[in-house]
Amino acid sequence: MKMKLFGAFAALALLAACSGTPAPKTASTGSGAVAAPSGPVPGSEQDLVANVGDRVFYKFNASTLSSDAKATLDRQAGWLGKYPNVQVQIAGNCDDRGTEEYNLALGERRANAARDYLVAKGVAASRITTISYGKDRPVAMGDNEQAWAQNRNAITAVH
Amino acid sequence: MDRNTNFLLPRRALFAGSAAAAFAPVLLATPAGAASAPAAAPSAVIDVNRARAAPIPVAIPDFAGADADSRALGHNIAQVITADLANCGLFKPIDPAGFVQNAATGDVPDWSAWRNIGAQALISGRVADAGGGKVRVEFRLWDILPQQQIQGTAYTTANSNWRRISHIIADVVYERLLGEKGYFDTRIVYVANTGPRSRRTKRLAVMDQDSANNRFLTDGTWMVLTPRFHPTRDEIAYMSYANDRPRVYIFDLASGRQRLLGEWQGMTFAPRFSPDGASVILSATHDIGSNIFVLDLAGGHERQLTNSGAIDTSPCFSPDGSQIVFNSDRGGDQQLYVMNADGGNVRRISYGQGRYATPVWSPRGDLIAFTRLGSGNWSIGVMQPDGSGERILSEGFSVEGPTFCPNGRVLMFWRDTPARNASGAGYSSRLVSIDITGFNERMVQTSTDASDPAWSPLGA
C-alpha cells in the first residue's frame, strides 16, 4: 500500500508520455524523473516499476494474457528470481464499463491470471497475494477508450 | 476495521418492532356533524395507475397547535407529509396560498371551500405537548366529495420522532387513498463517495428515504461496497476491504459493531439477506470464477449453489425464498439466470440486446429489475421473472444497481456522469429514483457523491 502513491505518479507520467497502446514502463521513457534521486534501490518497488514493468493490460471484459503482458510477466518472474525475499501483491483492476460486483470478480480473474503465469515461471505461490479492486482504483481518470485501456490491468507491487 | 463514527440509536429495537408500541396510535372518533367512511369498507378512492395519470389533489394545511412550539412543529410535519406525497408522483399537494380554512383537527372541514380549490382529500392535524419530552400528534384524513372522514388517528411519541410520525401519516394517507401500503417510513443505506477518483473514500451512510437524518456509519479507513438491509433486524450486510482482505461483513446499527461473515479463502462479495433473514446469499471467488453460496446465519453453515467455472454473482432471492436470480457469464457474457433456492433448475431469462447485470426481485414478486449494459449507454429496466415483458425505464452513460422500495412501486439506482477530460473533471455519482412505469425520475439529495443504494423494509 505504501507504494500506491508512486504507482499513481507513474500512471500520470504514462498518460503524459504515451498516446497509443499502454506499455510497460522502462527507464528510457522518462520515469527516472519520479524515481528516487539516487536511482531505484535494486529489489525495490521503484526498481520494479522503472526497470521491469509493474503492470499488464487486458482487453475489454477479458483476462487473457497478451504477448506483451507475458513479456512483462517474464521480466517480473526473472526479477523475483533475483530477489527471493521479495513478496508481492497483484491487484486486478477493471475499467468502469462493467457493473461493480461483476468487476470485483473480473479483477480477481485478472490478478489470478498474472499470478498463475508467474507461478508457472517458477515463482513460489506463497510469495504472491492477490486482490481485486474492481472498477474502484482507476489509474487513468478519463472516460474514453484510452483511459479504459489503462484501467484494465493487473499491477504487481512489493508487499 | 472501521471505527464507528456515530452513536447510533437502536431504531427498530427502540420501536419494539412495530409503530404501535412506539407511537401509541389511538383512533379518533369522527367529530360531531361529519360522516365517516365505513371502517371495514375498502377505502381506496383511486388506484395507482389512475393516480399516475392524474395525481390526487390533496390539501395539507399546517397542523394546528395551542402554542408557538406546537404550531412550529405542526408546520414542519405538514411540510414533510407534503414532500412525501408530492415526490412519489401520485399526489398533487395544493398550494397553501389558496387555502381559505386553516383546518384544525376536530373541526368539520368547510367542504365547499376545499372543493372549490380542487381538493379531493384533506389532511388536517393538531400537535400538543404531551409532557416528558413527548408530543401528541392527531391527524384526520377527509374525503372531500362524499364529505366524510376516512381516518382519524392520534400518535404520542418522543419529540425527536416527529419526522417519523410525519412519514407514518403519509403512509396511512397513501394506503387509505391508493389501497396499498406506502414506503415513506423507510431508510436508504448507501455508499458515500468523496475524494479523488483514483482513490475514492467510500463510507457506509444511512438516511431517511427523503434524505433527512443522514449519518455516516464508517470513517472511510477502508473501502466499503454494496450495503443491504436485513429484512427485520437493524443490520446491514456489506463488503469491506478491512485490513486489505475484501470480505462480507454484518454491521449492527444499534451497536456500530461489524463482524466478519464466515471464514473464506478468497474474496466474498455481493451479499443479500434471504427474505426470512435467516441466511445470507453471496459470491466467493475461486480460481478463475466466482460461485454463489448461501450461509446460514445461526449455524454458520455454508452451501455452495453454483459451480460453473464462470463469474456467478449478484444473487437475489425471490420474496417467497423459493428462487434465486443472479448474473453469470457462463454463456460468454453477463446474462440473467434464475435457479431454485437449492441451486437446481438453472435457466437463462435475459435475451435482449447487450449484457444484463445486478438483478433484484420486486417485493411484490412480479418483476425483476436489472442493469442492461449496451455498447454505448446503460439502462435500468424491469422484466417478468420468466424474462418476458422487458421495459427500459432510464438510460445513461452509466446507470447501475436498482433497489426496490418495499411496496415495489419505485426503484432507486445510481447514475455516474462521465469525466469530461483526462483529469477526471465532471465525474460524479448520484442517487436517482424512478417509478417502475418509468415516470417521475428524480435526483435523490445526498451531501456527497453517492452509489450502491439499498432500500430498507417499511418501518425500519
Side-chain angles (χ1 to χ4, degrees):
Chain A
M1 288 302 102
K2 59 189 177 295
M3 293 306 168
K4 277 293 184 282
L5 188 61
F6 184 87
F9 277 118
L12 284 173
L14 186 67
L15 260 176
C18 168
S19 60
T21 310
K25 294 197 59 55
T26 66
S28 64
T29 60
S31 69
V34 292
S38 55
V41 176
S44 69
E45 173 85 10
Q46 291 91 332
D47 184 27
L48 174 68
V49 172
N51 299 317
V52 179
D54 68 337
R55 63 196 62 187
V56 298
F57 301 94
Y58 298 88
K59 288 202 166 97
F60 177 68
N61 200 14
S63 56
T64 310
L65 296 169
S66 66
S67 53
D68 279 356
K70 286 176 180 169
T72 300
L73 292 170
D74 284 337
R75 290 197 302 276
Q76 288 186 9
W79 184 81
L80 286 163
K82 230 164 95 182
Y83 305 105
N85 294 324
V86 171
Q87 306 273 323
V88 294
Q89 181 175 69
I90 303 176
N93 294 290
C94 305
D95 63 31
D96 65 5
R97 300 319 285 154
T99 46
E100 189 165 66
E101 290 175 335
Y102 180 85
N103 275 9
L104 289 170
L106 180 59
E108 185 80 10
R109 232 184 215 174
R110 287 175 174 164
N112 287 345
R115 179 203 57 197
D116 291 350
Y117 189 88
L118 290 178
V119 170
K121 292 294 176 178
V123 181
S126 60
R127 296 174 62 192
I128 309 171
T129 57
T130 59
I131 192 165
S132 170
Y133 291 109
K135 58 178 171 178
D136 288 309
R137 288 283 184 272
V139 294
M141 304 306 116
D143 272 304
N144 49 51
E145 291 297 343
Q146 192 185 335
W148 296 330
Q150 292 179 52
N151 291 336
R152 296 191 292 262
N153 61 50
I155 301 176
T156 304
V158 175
H159 200 51
Chain B
M1 191 48 64
D2 290 291
R3 288 187 307 279
N4 174 23
T5 54
N6 294 76
F7 175 71
L8 303 168
L9 280 174
R11 187 170 159 117
R12 288 191 232 193
L14 187 69
F15 298 143
S18 78
F23 300 109
V26 176
L27 290 181
L28 296 173
T30 307
S36 69
S43 55
V45 296
I46 193 165
D47 75 22
V48 169
N49 291 326
R50 283 177 57 205
R52 282 196 187 100
I56 302 170
V58 54
I60 313 162
D62 288 354
F63 282 22
D67 55 81
D69 283 353
S70 295
R71 283 191 293 274
L73 192 52
H75 170 75
N76 291 341
I77 288 171
Q79 294 286 302
V80 170
I81 296 169
T82 299
D84 279 349
L85 296 180
N87 288 346
C88 81
L90 304 177
F91 300 87
K92 192 175 73 181
I94 295 169
D95 183 351
F99 294 173
V100 293
Q101 181 190 28
N102 194 3
T105 289
D107 298 338
V108 177
D110 180 343
W111 303 109
S112 62
W114 293 113
R115 194 169 56 239
N116 287 344
I117 62 168
Q120 187 167 343
L122 167 69
I123 299 161
S124 65
R126 179 187 297 282
V127 175
D129 187 347
K134 291 191 164 185
V135 63
R136 176 183 158 92
V137 180
E138 296 177 12
F139 103 96
R140 293 175 195 273
L141 172 62
W142 306 92
D143 198 352
I144 299 297
L145 292 181
Q147 303 189 0
Q148 62 187 15
Q149 177 178 308
I150 298 174
Q151 176 91 25
T153 309
Y155 303 93
T156 304
T157 185
N159 287 329
S160 57
N161 283 332
W162 72 270
R163 289 194 78 95
R164 272 200 85 181
I165 287 287
S166 310
H167 294 310
I168 287 168
I169 291 171
D171 280 330
V172 170
V173 171
Y174 187 106
E175 185 170 2
R176 295 307 305 267
L177 295 185
L178 297 171
E180 54 188 77
K181 288 203 173 299
Y183 57 87
F184 303 122
D185 182 27
T186 56
R187 288 184 292 174
I188 307 295
V189 64
Y190 67 99
V191 173
N193 297 283
T194 52
R197 189 177 185 188
S198 60
R199 202 172 178 80
R200 295 287 257 178
T201 297
K202 289 181 174 266
R203 289 182 288 173
L204 284 188
V206 65
M207 64 184 182
D208 296 350
Q209 55 78 26
D210 65 349
S211 302
N213 293 321
N214 187 72
R215 294 182 313 205
F216 296 106
L217 304 178
T218 58
D219 66 4
T221 303
W222 305 105
M223 183 162 76
V224 296
L225 298 170
T226 63
R228 279 92 191 232
F229 273 102
H230 190 279
T232 56
R233 292 198 295 266
D234 240 358
E235 292 181 347
I236 290 164
Y238 70 109
M239 184 205 195
S240 170
Y241 277 71
N243 306 308
D244 288 327
R245 294 180 74 246
R247 298 290 188 278
V248 169
Y249 288 77
I250 305 287
F251 190 102
D252 182 337
L253 282 162
S255 67
R257 278 196 292 271
Q258 299 139 80
R259 64 186 167 88
L260 180 65
L261 191 63
E263 285 298 326
W264 306 83
Q265 278 292 317
M267 175 172 67
T268 51
F269 60 109
R272 282 186 196 277
F273 290 102
S274 60
D276 65 2
S279 56
V280 169
I281 192 165
L282 51 73
S283 286
T285 54
H286 176 72
D287 292 333
I288 60 165
S290 294
N291 296 317
I292 295 173
F293 291 80
V294 62
L295 189 96
D296 158 43
L297 286 169
H301 309 297
E302 69 196 42
R303 196 148 59 94
Q304 184 169 349
L305 300 181
T306 70
N307 188 17
S308 69
I311 292 175
D312 296 336
T313 190
S314 302
C316 177
F317 277 100
S318 61
D320 67 1
S322 70
Q323 308 279 302
I324 294 161
V325 64
F326 62 103
N327 62 225
S328 173
D329 65 357
R330 60 184 65 193
D333 60 5
Q334 241 172 318
Q335 296 294 339
L336 305 186
Y337 294 79
V338 171
M339 62 184 173
N340 295 346
D342 64 1
N345 190 25
V346 184
R347 64 270 188 197
R348 178 174 163 181
I349 61 165
S350 61
Y351 287 97
Q353 287 286 317
R355 296 172 287 153
Y356 286 75
T358 76
V360 284
W361 218 301
S362 165
R364 306 165 82 94
D366 58 343
L367 292 173
I368 288 169
F370 55 82
T371 307
R372 193 175 80 182
L373 292 72
S375 53
N377 274 355
W378 293 6
S379 318
I380 299 293
V382 293
M383 62 173 63
Q384 289 169 33
D386 64 0
S388 66
E390 178 176 325
R391 286 186 286 118
I392 295 302
L393 309 181
S394 186
E395 290 187 290
F397 164 74
S398 172
V399 286
E400 179 174 349
T403 177
F404 278 100
C405 77
N407 76 1
R409 291 290 186 187
V410 179
L411 287 170
M412 193 177 292
F413 55 94
W414 86 94
R415 177 185 295 280
D416 284 354
T417 301
R420 287 190 304 272
N421 59 33
S423 66
Y427 171 76
S428 71
S429 304
R430 308 301 297 182
L431 304 187
V432 179
S433 69
I434 192 166
D435 188 279
I436 53 161
T437 59
F439 101 117
N440 195 34
E441 178 167 329
R442 32 179 82 231
M443 195 81 84
V444 177
Q445 187 193 332
T446 50
S447 61
T448 64
D449 270 19
S451 62
D452 304 62
W455 220 305
S456 80
L458 185 62

